[in-house]
Amino acid sequence: MTVTEITKRISESENADWFKSISVILKYPHLNEEITLKGATSIYRYVSNQAKGWSEFDEPLPNELLISKNYFETLRRSIANFIESHSKGINNNLDYYWNNDIQRKVNNPNGSVFNFDSPETEFLLKLFFQEQNLFTGAYNYIIGSINFNSKQSFLGAMLAYEFTQKNASEITKRRTAEKPSITRMKNDFELMLSEVDNQLITHLKDSSDKFQEYTKTIDEFKGNKEKLFNDWFINTKGDFKTFNSDSNTKIKDLENTYEELLRLKKPAAYWKDRATTLKAEGWKSTYILTALVVIACVTLYCLLWLTPEGMLASFLKGESSAIRWSVVYITFISFLAFGIRTLNKIAFSSFHLARDAEEREQLTHVYLALIKEEGIDEKDRHLIMQSLFSRADTGLLKEDSSPTMPSDFAGKLMNR
């Protein structure tokens, strides 16, 4: 893991304050150096830089210095695993796990540890690559394990002595004088890095919290808008379904009404024309009837008041001529009475049929209106259709009746 990933992981952790507060002291007694690091990010940065620095040496390192390389690499992996494992959720035993997993490795390295950028490391590596047989004596002298078991060990220790003692040469004096200052600068720099890391973690955590709050606000706003939209959509959908259903029903009713209108338009027009024709025939028969009545009255008047004297005498004498005229007159009056009676029945029958046709026309319009307003059921439809298409009583025949239509035929007519 990189330092950036470690910083982000800590800033998002609920234990961020604890990770910012932990500290370690790296002691290098053989180097007369002690480094204090505060904050998990600063500790990881320092260890990671040391591991990276040791890994950048191309030439093979001596086994004594491989201890330092392995130490920092192992410590880096341990810190990364610790942060990865304990940065999620709240853990009240972090001190225990830290001391058991990390602090124990810091305090108990498997040998003397050197920083890759320390002057002693540079001296030992240069001596190893130039005078490898003197390396062991110099290394033992620096770590405080002096053993002059050979000439090379002694010479290596002497070189290390000149390197470390201030009065050995002008160069070593300068290095010895500058070393405490450099050490303080390194410690101050590490402390400043720790403060910067903690500030960065605090800033990232605050930003993360604000971002989460802002995200939560957006999610709530989005949820409210989605709820409003869903409610509006559901209501609109319900209204649309109702409107669509009502519209389809009205359209269907209008189609039914239109179909009924098309079926009954011709009969209604026929009944209207038929009523007009029957009225004309009725008035015509009435006029002829009136004329016959006038003729009958005139002839009776003439017979009674204008009868010749000879005819009356023949009646009194019982002559055959009188009987003959009587038979002729009676026959004439009989035919005249029969014509008047027939014309009377024709006239009244015409007026009756005209009125019946008018009523059928009006009943047709009423029936269409009832269909439009849905104010008629199937039973009433059968009754109305039977009334519309039943036979009318003409009055010309004795005991003339008006039988109703068969129900099945009326049903077929309505369902066409």
Side-chain angles (χ1 to χ4, degrees):
M1 297 177 65
T2 63
V3 177
T4 303
E5 293 173 344
I6 291 292
T7 303
K8 182 179 179 182
R9 187 65 58 86
I10 293 175
S11 65
E12 295 174 351
S13 174
E14 297 182 4
N15 302 308
D17 294 336
W18 184 89
F19 282 107
K20 291 190 297 182
S21 66
I22 59 174
S23 62
V24 296
I25 299 175
L26 299 174
K27 297 180 180 180
Y28 306 100
H30 50 286
L31 302 178
N32 195 22
E33 185 177 355
E34 185 176 294
I35 299 176
T36 301
L37 300 172
K38 183 179 181 181
T41 303
S42 298
I43 298 171
Y44 183 80
R45 178 187 285 109
Y46 175 80
V47 174
S48 180
N49 289 338
Q50 290 296 323
K52 182 180 180 183
W54 280 111
S55 65
E56 289 178 352
F57 288 106
D58 297 331
E59 299 184 24
L61 298 174
N63 294 330
E64 291 82 357
L65 296 181
L66 280 175
I67 295 174
S68 300
K69 178 181 179 182
N70 295 332
Y71 169 78
F72 285 112
E73 288 181 351
T74 302
L75 189 59
R76 179 182 63 82
R77 288 194 298 268
S78 299
I79 296 174
N81 293 333
F82 180 87
I83 296 175
E84 176 72 19
S85 301
H86 299 284
S87 61
K88 300 176 182 179
I90 299 177
N91 194 331
N92 297 324
N93 297 322
L94 289 177
D95 291 330
Y96 169 78
Y97 292 115
W98 176 264
N99 292 330
N100 188 55
D101 296 340
I102 307 301
Q103 192 66 48
R104 181 173 56 82
K105 295 179 180 179
V106 172
N107 295 335
N108 301 298
N110 296 323
S112 298
V113 177
F114 288 80
N115 293 328
F116 82 96
D117 54 352
S118 66
E120 288 79 5
T121 302
E122 182 182 356
F123 165 73
L124 290 174
L125 286 174
K126 186 175 182 180
L127 185 63
F128 176 77
F129 294 131
Q130 293 180 358
E131 297 290 342
Q132 187 173 359
N133 56 346
L134 303 178
F135 170 80
T136 303
Y139 176 80
N140 290 332
Y141 178 85
I142 291 176
I143 66 175
S145 177
I146 301 175
N147 184 8
F148 299 141
N149 56 359
S150 65
K151 181 180 179 180
Q152 287 80 6
S153 298
F154 177 77
L155 292 177
M158 290 299 296
L159 290 176
Y161 171 79
E162 289 181 359
F163 178 80
T164 57
Q165 296 301 316
K166 61 182 179 180
N167 56 356
S169 65
E170 292 297 327
I171 296 177
T172 56
K173 286 181 181 179
R174 183 177 177 182
R175 284 191 175 185
T176 304
E178 290 178 349
K179 185 174 181 179
S181 177
I182 294 174
T183 302
R184 287 194 299 271
M185 290 178 63
K186 288 177 64 177
N187 291 337
D188 293 340
F189 181 73
E190 294 295 339
L191 289 175
M192 290 179 64
L193 280 179
S194 299
E195 293 297 329
V196 172
D197 289 336
N198 291 336
Q199 292 178 6
L200 177 61
I201 291 173
T202 302
H203 176 72
L204 290 176
K205 184 170 180 59
D206 293 340
S207 300
S208 179
D209 294 340
K210 290 181 180 179
F211 177 76
Q212 294 295 335
E213 183 179 356
Y214 182 70
T215 303
K216 183 178 180 181
T217 303
I218 292 178
D219 291 339
E220 291 178 355
F221 178 78
K222 180 182 176 182
N224 292 332
K225 292 302 180 182
E226 287 180 350
K227 185 176 182 300
L228 291 175
F229 175 78
N230 291 333
D231 294 340
W232 172 83
F233 182 76
I234 291 173
N235 294 332
T236 305
K237 185 178 180 180
D239 295 339
F240 177 77
K241 285 185 177 179
T242 303
F243 172 76
N244 186 49
S245 178
D246 295 341
S247 299
N248 291 333
T249 302
K250 290 181 179 179
I251 291 174
K252 186 176 181 180
D253 294 339
L254 290 176
E255 289 177 350
N256 293 334
T257 304
Y258 182 71
E259 291 177 358
E260 294 289 341
L261 176 62
L262 291 179
R263 286 199 294 264
L264 298 176
K265 184 177 181 180
K266 290 297 182 179
Y270 168 77
W271 287 320
K272 183 178 180 180
D273 296 339
R274 183 62 176 169
T276 302
T277 303
L278 290 173
K279 283 184 179 181
E281 292 179 355
W283 285 113
K284 182 178 179 181
S285 300
T286 302
Y287 295 151
I288 296 173
L289 175 63
T290 304
L292 290 178
V293 170
V294 170
I295 292 172
C297 292
V298 171
T299 55
L300 182 59
Y301 173 79
C302 293
L303 179 63
L304 294 176
W305 296 101
L306 299 176
T307 303
E309 292 295 335
M311 183 178 293
L312 292 175
S314 63
F315 275 104
L316 294 175
K317 293 178 181 180
E319 294 179 358
S320 60
S321 60
I323 295 172
R324 184 182 53 154
W325 285 110
S326 296
V327 172
V328 172
Y329 185 74
I330 291 171
T331 301
F332 173 75
I333 292 298
S334 296
F335 279 107
L336 189 61
F338 178 77
I340 292 173
R341 182 173 178 275
T342 302
L343 288 175
N344 177 60
K345 293 181 68 176
I346 292 174
F348 281 101
S349 177
S350 297
F351 287 124
H352 168 71
L353 292 177
R355 178 63 59 85
D356 182 76
E358 291 176 350
E359 289 179 355
R360 290 172 189 262
E361 179 188 2
Q362 295 299 321
L363 184 60
T364 301
H365 294 302
V366 173
Y367 171 68
L368 294 175
L370 290 176
I371 292 178
K372 184 177 181 181
E373 298 296 331
E374 299 181 356
I376 186 172
D377 56 16
E378 193 68 22
K379 183 178 180 180
D380 294 336
R381 290 179 57 161
H382 280 284
L383 293 176
I384 293 175
M385 295 301 292
Q386 288 177 355
S387 300
L388 288 176
F389 295 98
S390 62
R391 191 178 68 182
D393 185 6
T394 62
L396 295 177
L397 300 176
K398 185 178 181 181
E399 296 179 357
D400 193 5
S401 60
S402 55
T404 58
M405 292 181 62
S407 298
D408 56 346
F409 182 75
K412 292 179 181 179
L413 182 62
M414 288 186 292
N415 294 326
R416 287 179 57 187

